Amino acid sequence: MILRPREFVLRHRGPDWSGIYQHGDNYLAHQRLAIIDPASGDQPLFNEDKTIVVTVNGEIYNHEELRKRLKNHKFRTRSDCDVIAHLYEEYGEGFVDMLDGIFSFVLLDTRDNSFMVARDAIGVTSLYIGWGLDGSVWVSSEMKGLHEDCEHFEAFPPGHLYSSKSGEFKQWYNPPWFNESIPCTPYEPLAIRRAFENAVIKRLMSDVPFGVLLSGGLDSSLVASITARHLAGTKAAKRWGPQLHSFCVGLEGSPDLKAGKEVAEYLGTVHHEFHFTVQDGIDAIEDVIYHVETYDVTTIRASTPMFLMSRKIKSLGVKMVLSGEGSDEIFGGYLYFHKAPNKQEFHQETCRKIKALHKYDCLRANKATSAFGLEARVPFLDKEFINTAMSLDPESKMIKPEEGKIEKWVLRRAFDDEERPYLPKHILYRQKEQFSDGVGYSWIDGLKAHAAENVNDRMMSNAAHIFPHNTPLTKEAYYYRMIFERFFPQNSARLTVPGGATVACSTAKAVEWDASWSNNMDPSGRAALGVHLSAYEGKKVALPSPPHKAIGDMPMMMGQGVVIQT
């Protein structure tokens, strides 16, 4: 096969190394962003006799523990991903659940010319699979790596593996909460605290400079606080220094900029504040849609500031950041959860939200940062932490303002420590702001105004005929859809983007919780009528006392063609 220029469209994801491997009609190509073992961890990776070949995008946080279980194996590199080929050699395809981390990989077994593909539990890393008319199978971290070569392609399902031996997908991740039955574990604040601290600490593994995204909201502030507490004892601190760098983006005077600066001063981080204007954001919209590969309104609204910030962060020499995605899905932190009618509906909605994260926040966090060769790590989506949090009796997560229990109360209380505070009280109990709102309310208003200038009423009247699938209902949605279709005109591409009714980021099912929402369908948190701010107006929310004293990437093609991964 001759490599054509468009087959390097994923170079932005891994600017540190390009590698390609061929065995018969199987090709593995990789663009590397080097975080662990930059000197010798170039890909593809092999077992001892090079009969097992792997190309992978991700981080394996328990790789040192896994190496100890593979004492009879010899490793070529110090890369955390080097364990994958050896685990397969030892345990076969069933090893995937042993991995603690985020990953998308393709593994080729040259002994029988078979291959397998796997994606992490929640879908933090992006991955797509496609099929060519010539019988080829293609895999890529982004659609743009395969959409011109495949007759059909789709998002690779999270928590699954694909085996060429069976030609089928198999679900390897099936935790207790997945069936949406109602759990009954009593709330124990310190169990939540320990589980989340462990999730953050394991993600401090890095051989390159890193920082934290800090909006000043609860989730990013907790990530920053725990990171600041534990950074000094890490290998990264010994090499790059013990002071944490934090990053925030927003319009001038936005809620996030103000809160982020305050938290940074409290934690003593080296804080970097990036400002953008509405026009800066509008100018970036086409690039954002090209890189994030969606036409979902709320994802584009939130991806644009993150995209602009990632470019700035990478220019400072930082290659990895910790971020706070996932908390709102796990704990019911979106403001519409105020209207959950009972604990069963509350819990089932959190399950639906977590299962859909790969289409929304994970997709945004991965692709908006990867556009500039930056990696985002998300401790709230740690497998062990999710299991701990999702085993709670959902009654403890229910929002009851009259009892002082605002959204994510169980998480806030877990870190409410009077003796050694993690955060100032008013930050710990700050009301939820969705990222696209927190960067400045005029950002969304400006987007709507810009869309109205580019989409007229006549265009909207024909929307159902032009876009029969996921028909855009607003001029903003129509505007994004036009751009998306220009980059990705295939039907397979439009099918990868979710649709359906939503208010304040709810699923379509949760829209049924309040009849008034059907007339105010917008993903902004401000669309949660009767909840945003007003839930706390005119009354002082009691701040609970502490429960206890403080206690200690790749496009790739297998078969008759090519696969490439980054």
Side-chain angles (χ1 to χ4, degrees), residues 236-274:
K238 294 177 182 177
R239 177 172 294 187
W240 307 106
Q243 195 165 22
L244 180 64
H245 287 252
S246 57
F247 308 94
C248 186
V249 66
L251 302 176
E252 191 74 44
S254 67
D256 280 2
L257 289 180
K258 180 181 177 181
K261 182 177 181 180
E262 181 179 1
V263 175
E265 290 176 350
Y266 181 82
L267 299 176
T269 68
V270 179
H271 193 55
H272 307 267
E273 192 175 277
F274 306 122

Side-chain angles (χ1 to χ4, degrees), residues 85-252:
H86 301 277
L87 287 170
Y88 173 82
E89 193 173 25
E90 196 74 24
Y91 300 101
E93 294 178 348
F95 77 90
V96 181
D97 197 30
M98 299 168 65
L99 301 176
D100 182 6
I102 56 174
F103 53 83
S104 296
F105 69 80
V106 179
L107 181 150
L108 171 66
D109 188 339
T110 64
R111 297 171 298 186
D112 60 5
N113 214 39
S114 64
F115 70 92
M116 65 173 291
V117 188
R119 188 180 184 188
D120 65 69
I122 305 299
V124 175
T125 59
S126 60
L127 194 65
Y128 296 84
I129 185 169
W131 295 266
L133 288 173
D134 59 357
S136 59
V137 180
W138 295 66
V139 181
S140 175
S141 290
E142 298 182 7
M143 282 195 297
K144 61 182 67 68
L146 49 74
H147 72 108
E148 294 185 15
D149 294 280
C150 298
E151 182 67 15
H152 173 75
F153 56 89
E154 60 193 48
F156 195 98
H160 283 70
L161 64 84
Y162 175 89
S163 173
S164 66
K165 295 176 182 178
S166 64
E168 297 178 348
F169 292 96
K170 178 182 177 181
Q171 184 176 347
W172 64 264
Y173 179 64
N174 190 28
W177 61 268
F178 227 69
N179 63 13
E180 302 183 11
S181 60
I182 309 304
C184 58
T185 303
Y187 171 53
E188 172 49 57
L190 289 187
I192 295 293
R193 183 192 296 186
R194 291 192 204 99
F196 188 59
E197 285 192 316
N198 289 337
V200 173
I201 291 168
K202 72 175 66 171
R203 283 161 176 77
L204 304 185
M205 174 185 81
S206 176
D207 290 333
V208 298
F210 71 90
V212 294
L213 304 185
L214 179 57
S215 68
L218 173 67
D219 307 328
S220 65
S221 297
L222 283 178
V223 172
S225 178
I226 296 169
T227 302
R229 289 191 179 203
H230 296 279
L231 179 61
T234 65
K235 295 178 182 178
K238 294 177 182 177
R239 177 172 294 187
W240 307 106
Q243 195 165 22
L244 180 64
H245 287 252
S246 57
F247 308 94
C248 186
V249 66
L251 302 176
E252 191 74 44

